[in-house]
């Protein structure tokens, strides 16, 4: 396949498209929460009210959440970290093998993180956050969920090469309607 002919994107199953929409929605909500809480913190400095200590903690935890939840989404969009520099110099079969190798490495790393994330989530240490008094297990669930979703996408990319196509917002909205 030459560079002139665009590779036809393989359509993801409805389940993966639905998961993408949920990930995208959760990511948007968490980014909005971060923006609102940081704005509230800045506003508190100029108003004669006592500060909300929990707002900074919740903003930081929301950042952790959006970082890990969006791992799977970005991988499904073909925007994860891969060796794209090499793609400029190789084509055809070599390029497909490099992409498969990259997806296999991502899958192995995700599996290792899933194992460690599971250990953190199932460990009952009783730790809670300082201001919110939130059990830390809730925070540890974000990486576990994110890496499970990324591993799911890596498996799909290995089974169906070329499935990491760029999808548009219209595709996501059209499938949920």
């Amino acid at each position: 396949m030459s560079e002139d002919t665009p590779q036809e994107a393989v359509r993801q199953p409805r389940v993966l498209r639905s998961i993408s929409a949920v990930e995208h929605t959760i990511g948007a909500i968490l980014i909005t929460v971060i923006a609102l809480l940081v704005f509230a913190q800045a506003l508190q400095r100029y108003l004669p009210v006592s500060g909300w200590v929990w707002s900074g903690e919740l903003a930081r935890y929301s950042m952790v959440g959006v970082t890990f939840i969006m791992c799977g989404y970005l991988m499904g969009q073909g925007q994860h970290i891969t060796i794209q520099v090499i793609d400029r110099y190789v084509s055809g079969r070599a390029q497909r093998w490099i992409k498969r190798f990259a997806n296999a490495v991502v899958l192995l790393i995700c599996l290792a993180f899933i194992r460690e994330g599971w250990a953190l989530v199932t460990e009952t240490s009783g730790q809670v956050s300082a201001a919110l008094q939130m059990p830390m297990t809730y925070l540890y669930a974000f990486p576990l969920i994110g890496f499970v979703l990324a591993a799911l996408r890596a498996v799909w990319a290995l089974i169906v090469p070329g499935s990491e196509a760029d999808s548009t917002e219209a595709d996501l909205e059209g499938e949920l309607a």
Side-chain angles (χ1 to χ4, degrees), residues 82-125:
T82 57
I83 312 169
Q84 293 183 357
V85 173
I86 296 174
D87 289 351
R88 294 180 184 178
Y89 301 107
V90 296
S91 61
R93 178 174 276 174
Q95 188 177 35
R96 285 190 299 271
W97 279 105
I98 289 171
K99 287 185 180 192
R100 281 188 176 167
F101 175 75
N103 285 318
V105 169
V106 168
L107 176 61
L108 291 174
I109 291 169
C110 285
L111 291 175
F113 277 119
I114 289 169
R115 191 182 93 219
E116 295 302 318
W118 182 255
L120 283 173
V121 168
T122 57
E123 178 183 293
T124 55
S125 66

